[in-house]
Amino acid sequence: MPRVEMDSERGLEIPTLGRTLRMFGRALRLRCPHCGEGPVLDRGLKLRVKCGTCGLRLERGEHDTFTGAMFVLFTLVGLICFAAIAVAAAVTRATPWNLLEYGLPVLAIVLVVVLLPVAKLLWLAFDLTLRPVGPAELEWHRAADAEFETERDAPPTTTRGGGAADRR
């Protein structure tokens, strides 16, 4: 059964430089790219389901959110690791193979964990830059109870007779 996702009614727009810088600046400061406020972090490095101010779901109810965020994450990690290799090669006479062999994988793992919320917000900023949120979509985000509910007119999620929600 195909799932109908909530689409932006405004469609694709060519972003202005100011709006692009504003959205990405908000994301890099770990703020909601839509409103610039927050909070967007729940505890530690875990993202909330919705922005605490405007109610926009940080996953935006789209199928490509995870894939796009992983693309941004692995690009950032790759660039930072490449910069670490370049610095190590530039400041030492002999190649520090032990540092590169043991330190680089540790750096990459730490960066994946630390940069995950930043990558998700950067992808959301990219998405919002090209497809801004309209009033109807923002109301849809505010009214949704489930974290990953993507159907436009989905009924409230209730289970009867010992469903998964009752066992929690």
Side-chain angles (χ1 to χ4, degrees):
M1 171 197 286
R3 295 179 65 130
V4 179
E5 295 180 352
M6 181 65 193
D7 294 325
S8 178
E9 295 174 356
R10 297 172 67 176
L12 290 177
E13 293 183 8
I14 296 176
T16 62
L17 180 62
R19 185 172 84 196
T20 302
L21 293 175
R22 185 172 52 250
M23 294 280 187
F24 282 96
R26 290 172 179 173
L28 287 172
R29 288 180 294 161
L30 295 176
R31 293 287 178 207
C32 174
H34 176 67
C35 69
E37 300 295 322
V40 294
L41 293 178
D42 193 14
R43 60 186 184 282
L45 296 173
K46 184 179 184 316
L47 278 180
R48 296 170 58 122
V49 174
K50 296 180 181 185
C51 170
T53 303
C54 69
L56 178 73
R57 283 192 292 177
L58 300 176
E59 296 285 334
R60 202 173 179 189
E62 306 249 339
H63 65 280
D64 64 348
T65 301
F66 179 79
T67 307
M70 291 305 104
F71 170 75
V72 171
L73 176 67
F74 293 142
T75 301
L76 288 174
V77 170
L79 289 173
I80 293 171
C81 287
F82 179 76
I85 292 171
V87 168
V91 300
T92 60
R93 289 187 186 264
T95 305
W97 292 113
N98 285 336
L99 178 65
L100 294 177
E101 185 177 356
Y102 301 113
L104 206 56
V106 171
L107 175 66
I109 291 170
V110 168
L111 286 174
V112 165
V113 172
V114 170
L115 292 178
L116 181 61
V118 176
K120 286 182 177 183
L121 289 174
L122 284 173
W123 180 257
L124 180 61
F126 175 74
D127 192 25
L128 290 173
T129 300
L130 294 177
R131 296 181 315 112
V133 177
E137 183 184 357
L138 191 57
E139 286 305 315
W140 178 77
H141 283 284
R142 290 178 179 156
D145 292 328
E147 181 175 356
F148 296 111
E149 182 178 305
T150 60
E151 293 183 26
R152 186 182 300 262
D153 298 319
T157 54
T158 58
T159 57
R160 295 181 189 200
D166 294 333
R167 288 190 289 247
R168 290 183 202 166

